[in-house]
Amino acid sequence: MISLHQLRCFLATFEHGSFTGAATALGYAQPSISEQVRLLEQHVGAPLFRRAGRGMVPTEAATALRPHAAAALASVDEGVRAVSSVRQVLTGTVRFGVFNIAHYYLGADLVADVLERHPGVRIEMIGQNSAVNIEQLRRGQLEAALIARPLADDDMAVSMVMRDELVYVSADPARLREPVTSQTLAAAPLVLPDASWREEDSTRQQLARTVEAAGHVLHPKVEVDNVELALDIAARGLADTVCWRGVLHHLADRLPANLGWVPLRPAMYERFAIAHRPAAELSPATRVVVELATTRMRTLAAVLRRVREG
């Protein structure tokens, strides 16, 4: 039976005009090339080359065989590419955990990234709070999640993807003349989001610890669940609020024009991470989502860093 290896050796000899040239091109020993051509000649029942000095001259039989050999190898290569493309088509449902403001960091952009590259994947973005996501990760109800707090768990793989800064937002220019201290924060009329998660929310916990360290108690004037509602209330001058720079960057032109912001002193940051079960346990589709989410978050971090430094 004629083999693909025999055809490759034949075509290389035809192209380079010698067994030595074919061996160099294919990376084989010269005797191996000549042996494969000899076996092919036995199969076709005709000599394919004749010696001419140090080279090999193709016979009429070789000239007749050449296009068919090339077509056979091309067909096999095309088949390999077809199989490869099928293997690369990802399918399945990915349950990706998020917290309630994650759409300002990922949202529709992540969905677009996934569906444009892998339309066979179905993605569910689930969750309202990192504490719940962490518990669902441990129970195996989620394969991966974006969380807004570090996770110390030997059973999880955690990749820090971004650090964001919490800032003080107000419609009153007099309150934005300098960074806001813990003492000023404790005395300010505040509207804070995440009312439903006040006990678990990492931002609330950081604020409370910072204010308590200054000898005060955090006591917001208004509490809501929605970040944009808090900003709207602040824009009306009814209360001030705090917000992550990444959220303000995403809202950009949608922010009320009279709002401004200053940093807190001491500065407050949140570290965002992608947490998931070890990579060996992730489905191919989930690995893709994790990679795309990581790229999105790190790109945003770089943009915010340039804005801050600029």
Side-chain angles (χ1 to χ4, degrees):
M1 180 181 294
I2 295 176
S3 70
L4 296 175
H5 184 47
Q6 291 169 5
L7 294 178
R8 288 193 182 93
C9 292
F10 160 69
L11 288 174
T13 303
F14 195 110
E15 178 180 354
H16 295 281
S18 68
F19 291 141
T20 301
T24 300
L26 295 179
Y28 295 110
Q30 185 271 339
S32 176
I33 300 295
S34 60
E35 175 62 13
Q36 294 303 310
V37 171
R38 185 187 66 79
L39 292 174
L40 181 59
E41 288 177 330
Q42 290 181 355
H43 284 298
V44 300
L48 297 173
F49 300 96
R50 58 182 178 81
R51 293 192 176 276
R54 295 185 177 180
M56 306 293 291
V57 177
T59 63
E60 288 187 13
T63 301
L65 177 62
R66 182 187 184 189
H68 301 287
L73 291 177
S75 179
V76 170
D77 290 341
E78 185 64 27
V80 171
R81 285 192 294 272
V83 171
S84 178
S85 66
V86 169
R87 291 177 58 197
Q88 293 173 5
V89 174
L90 295 180
T91 59
T93 296
V94 176
R95 291 173 56 85
F96 187 74
V98 293
F99 47 88
N100 63 344
I101 62 169
H103 60 284
Y104 295 113
Y105 295 91
L106 293 173
D109 289 331
L110 175 61
V111 173
D113 289 342
V114 173
L115 298 186
E116 287 172 3
R117 292 166 174 78
H118 304 284
V121 171
R122 181 176 179 274
I123 182 169
E124 298 178 0
M125 299 181 70
I126 300 169
Q128 288 292 315
N129 184 269
S130 293
V132 176
N133 289 342
I134 291 170
E135 185 60 29
Q136 289 183 328
L137 282 170
R138 290 180 173 137
R139 292 178 179 178
Q141 296 170 333
L142 295 173
E143 277 197 273
L146 175 66
I147 59 174
R149 65 176 66 181
L151 176 66
D153 194 321
D154 292 339
D155 295 331
M156 295 291 167
V158 179
S159 175
M160 304 306 299
V161 293
M162 181 180 176
R163 188 182 77 159
D164 202 0
E165 182 181 9
L166 190 69
V167 296
Y168 188 88
V169 182
S170 177
D172 186 350
R175 298 174 185 170
L176 302 174
R177 291 173 180 166
E178 59 186 9
V180 171
T181 65
S182 300
Q183 183 173 354
T184 302
L185 187 64
L190 290 177
V191 51
L192 294 182
D194 298 307
S196 295
W197 302 98
R198 65 172 68 94
E199 301 300 327
E200 296 87 1
D201 182 65
S202 59
T203 301
R204 290 290 193 102
Q205 292 173 358
Q206 285 196 66
L207 284 170
R209 286 195 299 268
T210 299
V211 171
E212 287 171 4
H216 302 280
V217 176
L218 182 67
H219 187 64
K221 186 175 184 178
V222 182
E223 297 194 63
V224 296
D225 271 332
N226 185 274
V227 170
E228 291 191 50
L229 178 56
L231 291 169
D232 188 29
I233 292 171
R236 297 188 184 197
L238 302 173
D240 295 341
T241 190
V242 292
C243 190
W244 299 107
R245 290 183 62 238
V247 174
L248 297 177
H249 176 80
H250 177 87
L251 291 173
D253 295 339
R254 292 162 50 194
L255 281 173
N258 64 329
L259 284 180
W261 63 267
V262 291
L264 299 172
R265 288 294 179 269
M268 284 183 54
Y269 297 95
E270 184 70 88
R271 292 183 298 162
F272 298 119
I274 302 291
H276 56 83
R277 289 180 290 174
E281 297 182 17
L282 292 182
S283 68
T286 299
R287 283 198 296 270
V288 165
V289 172
V290 167
E291 291 167 3
L292 292 173
T294 299
T295 299
R296 276 280 169 192
M297 294 293 287
R298 289 179 175 167
T299 299
L300 176 58
V303 170
L304 293 177
R305 189 162 51 248
R306 288 195 298 269
V307 170
R308 183 173 59 248
E309 294 171 354

